[in-house]
Amino acid sequence: MAFFDGLLGNASQIDLNEARKEFGKILAPGEQIERAYRLIRDMFIFTDKRLILIDKQGMTGKKIAYHSIPYKSITHYSVETAGHFDLDAELYLFVSGSTMPLKKTFNKSVNIYEVQAVLSQYILKP
């Protein structure tokens, strides 16, 4: 089912140990991965310091772009929960310096309230 969710543009949560093993090399000293989600080949990772968007490019996916967004750059966010007919939840991130929000879609196996809590925890830090 996760494969079909990916084809439909839905994100699914991945194992933290897998994410730490694969992406530990791009973390700053002392930085920890808190949550990780996969969208087909792409991923987005919430650390205790920033949000990392991972874009695997090309046919083989060997070329990878890493987009790092410090939490202090996220000006606000919006969450749309899943409904009866619309089974997906959406997260919109508004980043300073960008006119369009980043949109991420989650299937109902991902707790959108948990994602919102992680964002709030880091964005609202003094």
Side-chain angles (χ1 to χ4, degrees), residues 60-106:
T60 63
K62 293 220 182 237
K63 184 176 180 178
I64 302 172
Y66 299 96
H67 188 112
S68 177
I69 305 170
Y71 291 118
K72 65 182 178 183
S73 296
I74 299 173
T75 59
H76 65 285
Y77 66 91
S78 173
V79 171
E80 285 185 19
T81 60
H84 290 292
F85 298 109
D86 180 11
L87 300 177
D88 301 326
E90 286 95 21
L91 169 67
Y92 297 89
L93 294 171
F94 297 84
V95 180
S96 60
S98 180
T99 57
M100 298 297 295
L102 297 170
K103 177 184 173 187
K104 298 295 177 187
T105 303
F106 296 82

Side-chain angles (χ1 to χ4, degrees), residues 2-23:
F3 174 74
F4 292 114
D5 289 336
L7 288 178
L8 295 173
N10 297 329
S12 57
Q13 191 167 359
I14 65 165
D15 180 66
L16 287 179
N17 290 327
E18 177 187 335
R20 289 174 182 138
K21 184 177 179 182
E22 187 174 351
F23 299 106

Side-chain angles (χ1 to χ4, degrees), residues 43-62:
M43 295 179 65
F44 50 108
I45 296 175
F46 293 96
T47 76
D48 57 340
K49 308 219 182 289
R50 61 190 164 142
L51 174 62
I52 304 170
L53 303 175
I54 299 165
D55 180 15
K56 293 188 176 184
Q57 302 171 358
M59 196 68 142
T60 63
K62 293 220 182 237

